[in-house]
Amino acid sequence: MARQNGIIKLKGTIGDITFYKTKDGHLAREKGGIDANRIKNDPAFQRTRENGSEFGRAGKAGKTLRIALRTLLLNSSDSRMVSRLTQSMVKVIQADMISERGLRNVIDGEAELLTGFEFNIRGKLGTSLFAPYTANIDRVSGEITVSIDSFIPANMIAAPGGTTHFKITSAGAEVDFEAETFVSSNSETAILPWDFTATAVINQTNNITPASTKPLFLALGIEFFQEVNGTMYPLKNGSFNPLALVQVSGL
């Protein structure tokens, strides 16, 4: 691909050259590729069709999980999160040792591979929250919980410049990737001062369907605020709020 450097930036196709805009700037590339009908029917492209099928399944699975966690993701995600999650879902699907290639899926894969996934690479939970916490998924009761002992915020939370306050958020989700449905619930603390005053013990319980047979997820995050004249404003529009999957039970 080539980069457009002129004053006038083009969009569209001229001859065999396609001009388009991306996050990396205005680019141009030569039009080409293999006929779609050939990819769809030629036996030589059987592997391509299988890979495409599984990639599409990974994209749908990622979308369902994102919607289940949408309330938290509205304030805690980066611009490339969707593609990163899809790539992680592909790895989950490829871990399916039961289904035939092209038919592999999340249910028979290893959903636990998503443990530790960071939804915001600009503000990772692993480099923001240093207070020890206990995360637990109780499949029988349907309780997805997080517990954090009392801690000193200024010592145990690495906050971006300008932070005066924060809150801890969490979500539990039960996801049916085949039906593309979910059950989820969220919890959050009050907005707390980011200072040297110890917090109270934090216990959050997110309830989903008891005795579920679907993959279960626990997400934990932090939202940062700046107080100005008694009003709390999301710090830098939430661009540095961390959110991660801290526990996954794929069954």
Side-chain angles (χ1 to χ4, degrees):
M1 67 183 69
R3 188 177 300 276
Q4 300 184 52
N5 292 319
I7 297 175
I8 300 176
K9 299 299 188 292
L10 302 175
K11 297 174 86 173
T13 301
I14 301 177
D16 291 330
I17 305 297
T18 298
F19 302 87
Y20 58 102
K21 181 180 179 181
T22 72
K23 294 184 180 298
D24 300 315
H26 292 265
L27 306 176
R29 66 185 175 194
E30 185 177 3
K31 190 170 68 172
I34 301 171
D35 179 70
N37 188 60
R38 182 184 175 193
I39 294 176
K40 185 177 180 180
N41 298 289
D42 191 333
F45 289 92
Q46 176 65 25
R47 289 291 177 263
T48 301
R49 291 192 292 272
E50 292 170 352
N51 291 338
S53 175
E54 292 184 352
F55 185 80
R57 196 170 294 117
K60 289 183 178 179
K63 180 180 180 180
T64 303
L65 179 58
R66 295 196 313 272
I67 295 174
L69 301 174
R70 179 174 172 77
T71 300
L72 272 60
L73 284 176
L74 286 172
N75 301 316
S76 306
S77 63
D78 64 78
S79 60
R80 298 185 186 276
M81 180 271 291
V82 173
S83 61
R84 292 192 298 105
L85 182 57
T86 299
Q87 291 172 358
S88 295
M89 281 293 186
V90 168
K91 294 179 181 179
V92 170
I93 288 173
Q94 290 175 339
D96 178 356
M97 297 297 156
I98 300 174
S99 309
E100 296 180 5
R101 180 168 177 162
L103 298 176
R104 292 179 295 186
N105 58 81
V106 176
I107 300 299
D108 295 318
E110 294 291 337
E112 288 83 358
L113 291 174
L114 294 172
T115 304
F117 182 83
E118 298 274 3
F119 290 96
N120 189 0
I121 58 175
R122 293 172 298 187
K124 297 180 179 180
L125 184 69
T127 55
S128 299
L129 178 64
F130 297 97
Y133 61 84
T134 301
N136 185 60
I137 294 177
D138 189 326
R139 187 174 287 276
V140 175
S141 68
E143 294 185 345
I144 298 179
T145 60
V146 173
S147 297
I148 309 176
D149 290 336
S150 175
F151 65 94
I152 305 296
N155 291 340
M156 304 306 287
I157 293 180
T163 297
T164 62
H165 291 73
F166 72 97
K167 67 179 177 181
I168 302 292
T169 62
S170 68
E174 168 198 9
V175 183
D176 186 333
F177 290 106
E178 294 179 341
E180 297 179 35
T181 59
F182 62 87
V183 176
S184 65
S185 62
N186 308 321
S187 300
E188 61 181 36
T189 63
I191 296 178
L192 305 171
W194 184 69
D195 58 16
F196 290 94
T197 302
T199 68
V201 174
I202 296 172
N203 292 306
Q204 297 184 344
T205 300
N206 303 292
N207 295 297
I208 51 89
T209 307
S212 172
T213 59
K214 307 300 181 183
L216 306 180
F217 300 85
L218 170 56
L220 178 63
I222 309 173
E223 294 185 18
F224 297 111
F225 300 87
Q226 184 176 74
E227 182 180 12
V228 179
N229 296 328
T231 300
M232 297 294 176
Y233 296 91
L235 187 68
K236 298 181 181 178
N237 295 319
S239 59
F240 295 103
N241 291 343
L243 179 69
L245 294 175
V246 296
Q247 192 162 13
V248 178
S249 173
L251 192 60

